[in-house]
Amino acid sequence: MLPSAVIGRLKGDMSKNKIIKGRPAWGPVVEGYAFVCPNSIVGWNGADVIVTEKGNVHYGDSFAGKIIVMPCSRGSLGWSDMFRNSEYNGVGPIGYVFTTMDSKCGTAIFNTRRPCVADFPAKCDPCKEIHDGDYIRLDGINGTVEILTPVEGE
């Protein structure tokens, strides 16, 4: 397991932290650093260990061991394969937060077996509520995302 992951435990006083609620898509609980992609990552050649999509806010960055936060999938049917392959090669994310679940997101979750919360209410955009580098707890069983340690200055 990657060092940024703490799977299957709950700790601390949740009353002081910001919590957003979506639909539980896959459990269990995972903690890690947020990797926010407000425009998603394009499928097919959008990432290969690092994000290779030119113009992406995370161009050149790795999502290995992080919790990906994005609106939904984007691009070809190869999108879910990109995450399955990264998982298979040990460089995948440890969890997913999707504003809206679509079939490619569902396939990626099923194939990677990683925790996921999705389908947030219309007035709750995880890509705006969660910032890059926030340390978060994703509870795929209860459908909550808790910001444990916000990034400095956010």
Side-chain angles (χ1 to χ4, degrees):
M1 184 53 54
L2 296 168
S4 63
V6 180
I7 296 181
R9 76 178 165 94
L10 292 173
K11 66 171 179 130
D13 178 8
M14 292 175 39
S15 63
K16 296 178 183 154
N17 299 324
K18 183 175 196 171
I19 299 172
I20 58 175
K21 178 105 172 104
R23 182 179 59 81
W26 196 280
V29 176
V30 66
E31 292 180 8
Y33 292 98
F35 189 85
V36 182
C37 293
N39 295 318
S40 192
I41 300 171
V42 73
W44 212 256
N45 294 325
D48 179 18
V49 181
I50 61 168
V51 177
T52 56
E53 175 189 3
K54 293 199 188 312
N56 189 293
V57 296
H58 280 293
Y59 179 77
D61 297 337
S62 170
F63 49 68
K66 298 178 182 156
I67 299 173
I68 286 193
V69 180
M70 59 178 69
C72 57
S73 67
R74 184 165 65 90
S76 74
L77 294 175
W79 192 89
S80 57
D81 256 357
M82 174 174 64
F83 291 106
R84 181 184 57 83
N85 291 339
S86 69
E87 179 72 18
Y88 179 77
N89 289 302
V91 293
I94 59 171
Y96 298 86
V97 176
F98 297 121
T99 307
T100 304
M101 178 72 78
D102 59 33
S103 62
K104 290 178 269 187
C105 294
T107 302
I109 299 312
F110 179 79
N111 286 331
T112 63
R113 304 290 203 269
R114 291 297 184 172
C116 178
V117 176
D119 297 332
F120 290 81
K123 293 184 180 186
C124 179
D125 183 352
C127 294
K128 292 181 180 165
E129 300 288 333
I130 302 167
H131 301 96
D132 262 341
D134 285 351
Y135 192 79
I136 63 176
R137 176 184 297 130
L138 182 157
D139 184 339
I141 298 167
N142 294 303
T144 59
V145 180
E146 179 182 2
I147 300 170
L148 299 171
T149 308
V151 169
E152 294 290 321
E154 294 296 335

